Every structure is written in C-alpha cells, then in structure tokens.
Amino acid sequence: MLLRTPLREEDLLKLEVGEAVYISGEIITARDAAHVRILEFFERGEKLPFELNRSVVYHCGPIIKKNHEFKVISAGPTTSARMNPMTPKILEKVDCLAIVGKGGMSDEVIEALKGKGVYLAYPGGAGALAAKAIKRVKAVYWEDLGMPEAVWVFEVENFGPCIVGIDAKGNSIYKKVEKAVEENFRKIISQL
Amino acid sequence: MVSREDVVEAVKKILLEAETKLSDDVVEAIKRAYDEEEGYAKEILKAILENVEYSSKNKIPMCQDTGIPVFFVELGRELCLDFNLYDAIREGVVKATKEIPLRPNAVHPITRKNSGDNTGMHMPLISVDIVEGDRMKIAVMPKGAGSENVSALKMLLPSQVNEIKKFVVEVVKNAGGKPCPPIFIGVGIGSTFDGAAKLAKKALLRNVNEMNEFELEILNAVNELGIGAGGLGGKYTALAVLVEMGHCHTASLPVAVNVQCWANRRAWIELR
C-alpha cells in the first residue's frame, strides 16, 4: 500500500495493524525538542511554520551534510516512546496524522490516534536505507535546536517498509506483544 | 614509534569503519536470525541487512544515531609516547565528526547545549589498559542512545547469585522494542559499581558467535520473551549474550547489563 501526502483520512482509517505501507510525498521530522516547541506554539495560539494537518511526522534526528545544499546522509527512526507525553496534545489539534517511528507508543497515544491517525514502525537503525528513499530536503525549521532536533521537511519516494504498529481503530501490535512478553516473562522467571 | 598523527588518523579510520560496516560475526548472527524468522520480523531483518549492505558499499553511517565515541585502548608499556594520547584521540573524533560526517550527539548534561563535535567534558570516553609489549591497540564502540538508555545496573546481595539471570531477562523485558532488537547483550558480573558497567561494555567487543554454556542459557531465556525484531514479536529478541566477570567485595554482587542494538558497531586498529 502506498500512502501519498497530503494524507487522505479514508486511506488512514482503512489501514490495519501488520500491513506494510510505503510513503511518497512529504515527511516532517520532529523529536523531543521540536515536540516541546510545537506545544508552546499551540499554547500561545500561534500558527506553526509548517503544516501538520494530513501530514506524516517522523521521529527522526537525521545526519545532514551542509554544503551548497542539504544532503541527507542517514535518517532512521528514533525511539518514539520519548514523545508519548506530548503526542496526544498534538493530535488534539490536527485533522489526521501518520506518525513514523520505532518501538511503539503509550496507551494514551493509542487512544488519541482513534479515528484520527496511525503509528507506523520503520525498521530501527536502518538509517542509510531511509536516506536512500529521501529525494531532497524541502525545508528546515528551528535549526537553533541543533541538527538532530530541528524540523526537517523531506521529500520521499517509496519510503518504507513501514509496518502499521497502531491503527486508527485502537489496535496495537506492541500491546499484543507486550502482553505475551509479560506472560512469557513470568514463566521464564519461575523456571530460572 | 607511534606518532600523534598516527593516532589521529587511526581514530578517524576506525570510526569510519565502525559506523559504516558491521564485522562478519555480527552480520552472520543477523543473517541466521533472518533465515529462521517469519512475518514482520523477517521483513524488518531484511531491511536491516539491506541497510547494512548499502551503508558499507556507499561508506555512509548505517544509523543516523552515530552514537557517542567510546574507546578502549591497550597500551604496550614499552611504547614511548611524546604526545598526549587523550588529545590525539579527541582530535580524531573532531575530524571524523566533520569528515564522515557523524551526527553531533555530545551535549552538556544540564544545559543540553551541543558541543557540535562529539567532544566535551569526559568525552570521548577513553579507557586505557597498560599491557605488555610495544604495540597500541585502539578499539572504538560508538554507542547510540536507544540501546544505552535501556541498560541497567543493580547491586545484588551476595546471596542472590541465582538472581543474575532473572535480572538480565527483566532488563530485556523492560527494554521491549526500544533498543532496536534483535539486540546484543553485554553483562558485567562482579567488580565494583563502575567496574561492572565497564565489564559489560567491554564484553560487547567479543566475537558474538562464541558463547559459553552460561551465556547460551541466558540467551535462550531472553529469546523466550518473544519481543522479536523491532519489538513486533518473533523468535530472536537477542542474538548474543556476552559475559565478563571480575572479583568483587565479599559483601557485594554488582551486575551490569549493557544493551546493544543489532548494529553492534565496533572496530579495532593496532599501531606500533
């Protein structure tokens, strides 16, 4: 399945956990510091310099080489759980959103994604492969946060595989795995 | 005679190698898991292997988190150095950061201000052991935060020797999908609070396919958790468990678990 940006709500709502999707169009990087700043903008009622509605937010702190133009060297996902506290507040303010990251997100995020968006897992650490699918840097905002924390807008083509980890109906692969892992853990511990 | 320039160049060389190329033992371990996995896990492992091949062919960092530079130096006592070894390694890091390029990851712990070149207070981290002979061996292990953040240390009671395995399994369970599994696990048992952590990290320098019975037993237990590649479930949560031990105080039993992602990046060089 290929997702194009700006995203269409009906496409997102159809996706189910376990499906592999590829993305073409625009993805916007944001990690800890950018999330904090986005919320500060919301609080002050200011307009963001980039468009979050119908967009793809990528939890990523890339390596960018800056000569005459920006070149993306490596750009894999960062641990999404760090963005757990901020994400539901952001989801309140957007139409629909796809989040790309690794490692899964909290129950609060699963709840906030209902009817609104999905969480997609990109293979952790596959930064070179991700960079290969990034055709160019379209824009950069908040460079004062430093290279990894700045907001980079990438144009991507067939960015993936992204596996639907959390769908818009409240299903989460991580939750299922977590439950199984807890049970396995109790069994293993009793045998050691 | 080892010159300052030799060390600077060597540091650049091994950093480039570690960031762009996994050693054969690590690739072998990932391939074995790929062959045996199915479903999402296989898909993730396939992407990982493609990524490894692409990055080594094009000499670009396999992961955007190029980590913070950790060095282990074995210094032959017969070597005479007429320069500051720490400064030379630091300069190699600064140059490598610019030339490879590496992501500047080193920040002040409180202000969070980025130094811009991966150096700073006690950074790079350099540990020197004086050994016999006239050679110097420099090993680098750039360590990313995803896996480092889920590492843990516990001061067990001397009567809790049987709890060691449980502690390792618990650390891995709590880590879940965060450290980019399938992971490699370095375990330091004994020594002191700080010594155990160092042993755990140093263990990760070993060949990942050579494990003893004790290590295999922990590995099997960890893999029964079923976290799998990317945390999406699967047979391989970890690919190796590597344990180093040190004598400790009769009243203590420190155990450190250093988690390493599938990108068990490390490289060595010998100078003389």
Side-chain angles (χ1 to χ4, degrees):
Chain A
M1 161 100 195
L2 179 70
L3 281 180
R4 279 189 191 282
T5 65
L7 300 170
R8 296 192 328 172
E9 201 171 358
E10 57 266 40
D11 292 340
L12 277 197
L13 300 187
K14 257 191 283 175
L15 290 177
E16 287 189 17
V17 285
E19 257 182 83
V21 298
Y22 289 78
I23 300 166
S24 285
E26 230 179 71
I27 57 175
I28 301 169
T29 74
R31 46 189 275 160
D32 312 60
H35 275 72
V36 169
R37 194 170 283 183
I38 289 170
L39 290 182
E40 285 168 2
F41 266 63
F42 285 168
E43 223 160 82
R44 292 195 302 262
E46 282 176 44
K47 196 177 177 309
L48 291 171
F50 43 85
E51 185 60 69
L52 278 190
N53 287 315
R54 310 182 171 277
S55 70
V56 179
V57 164
Y58 185 25
H59 295 154
C60 167
I63 308 174
I64 311 269
K65 200 170 182 172
K66 197 175 172 178
N67 285 335
H68 302 296
E69 54 182 11
F70 294 119
K71 188 173 185 294
V72 185
I73 305 291
S74 196
T78 194
T79 305
S80 300
R82 290 200 316 275
M83 271 57 80
N84 279 338
M86 284 92 80
T87 301
K89 291 178 198 153
I90 290 175
L91 282 164
E92 272 175 31
K93 301 272 186 189
V94 297
D95 302 340
C96 73
L97 191 70
I99 299 169
V100 180
K102 71 169 170 91
M105 297 190 80
S106 66
D107 287 354
E108 289 75 19
V109 175
I110 296 174
E111 197 53 43
L113 280 170
K114 275 190 189 162
K116 193 160 239 185
V118 294
Y119 174 82
L120 306 169
Y122 190 86
L129 199 69
K132 199 177 154 192
I134 298 169
K135 296 304 153 196
R136 69 185 180 104
V137 175
K138 285 180 84 171
V140 57
Y141 301 95
W142 303 344
E143 262 192 284
D144 61 294
L145 297 177
M147 186 199 289
E149 303 283 343
V151 170
W152 298 91
V153 182
F154 296 143
E155 186 183 309
V156 299
E157 214 177 283
N158 281 321
F159 182 88
C162 300
I163 292 162
V164 182
I166 303 170
D167 65 25
K169 299 172 201 88
N171 302 309
S172 161
I173 301 183
Y174 300 98
K175 216 149 162 155
K176 209 174 117 203
V177 172
E178 225 170 81
K179 207 173 147 229
V181 168
E182 274 301 333
E183 275 166 30
N184 295 338
F185 176 66
R186 277 196 296 272
K187 217 183 299 162
I188 299 162
I189 290 296
S190 68
Q191 285 163 359
L192 279 178
Chain B
M1 182 75 185
V2 176
S3 74
R4 188 175 191 280
E5 201 44 37
D6 291 341
V7 172
V8 174
E9 284 306 310
V11 164
K12 271 168 49 183
K13 189 167 176 258
I14 55 175
L15 261 171
L16 176 69
E17 193 183 321
E19 298 283 4
T20 59
K21 199 171 172 295
L22 286 181
S23 41
D24 294 344
D25 59 328
V26 176
V27 177
E28 252 170 60
I30 300 172
K31 277 190 178 150
R32 253 200 325 269
Y34 169 74
D35 287 341
E36 288 177 36
E37 281 288 11
E38 46 204 39
Y40 320 132
K42 200 177 188 78
E43 193 141 1
I44 300 249
L45 288 164
K46 186 177 162 223
I48 286 172
L49 287 167
E50 267 174 39
N51 180 66
V52 168
E53 203 185 309
Y54 182 76
S55 61
S56 96
K57 211 167 106 194
N58 294 285
K59 286 205 161 59
I60 52 175
M62 65 190 81
C63 178
Q64 77 293 335
D65 185 353
T66 47
I68 50 164
V70 179
F71 290 90
F72 292 98
V73 181
E74 284 177 18
L75 188 61
R77 66 173 181 87
E78 290 164 44
L79 261 181
C80 233
L81 301 183
D82 63 353
F83 60 92
N84 183 324
L85 179 64
Y86 295 91
D87 276 356
I89 293 177
R90 172 185 292 258
E91 191 180 324
V93 168
V94 172
K95 287 193 164 163
T97 300
K98 211 171 158 208
E99 289 170 26
I100 295 176
L102 303 178
R103 195 174 73 179
N105 283 329
V107 302
H108 184 283
I110 304 293
T111 65
R112 309 306 292 179
K113 191 177 179 322
N114 199 316
S115 68
D117 60 12
N118 282 316
T119 70
M121 297 182 293
H122 298 288
M123 184 63 60
L125 207 62
I126 303 166
S127 140
V128 179
D129 286 328
I130 309 285
V131 297
E132 285 301 322
D134 61 353
R135 290 154 207 252
M136 181 196 311
K137 190 171 165 190
I138 309 176
V140 68
M141 190 195 293
K143 197 79 174 47
S147 58
E148 195 75 350
N149 283 354
V150 294
S151 299
L153 186 142
K154 195 170 184 179
M155 303 303 283
L156 294 177
L157 297 173
S159 59
Q160 288 179 311
V161 170
N162 288 332
E163 298 288 312
I164 294 173
K165 288 177 196 162
K166 292 183 192 175
F167 176 55
V168 179
V169 176
E170 194 185 346
V171 170
V172 177
K173 183 207 71 165
N174 293 341
K178 292 196 279 279
C180 288
I183 55 174
F184 294 93
I185 305 167
V187 184
I189 302 175
S191 185
T192 51
F193 178 77
D194 49 325
K198 186 175 162 184
L199 286 174
K201 187 150 279 180
K202 230 179 157 174
L204 289 165
L205 288 172
R206 272 178 38 202
N207 183 318
V208 301
N209 297 320
E210 288 169 15
M211 280 171 275
N212 62 34
E213 210 174 310
F214 180 68
E215 292 164 332
L216 278 169
E217 206 179 308
I218 304 179
L219 178 65
N220 290 336
V222 162
N223 281 336
E224 278 172 38
L225 283 171
I227 294 168
L232 299 168
K235 292 179 204 147
Y236 287 90
T237 298
L239 299 173
V241 173
L242 305 157
V243 178
E244 291 292 323
M245 299 195 199
H247 268 68
C248 59
H249 192 290
T250 182
S252 43
L253 175 55
V255 179
V257 181
N258 196 206
V259 177
Q260 174 68 295
C261 54
W262 61 259
N264 187 10
R265 295 170 290 185
R266 65 259 205 283
W268 303 261
I269 197 165
E270 210 173 81
L271 302 173
R272 60 182 301 181

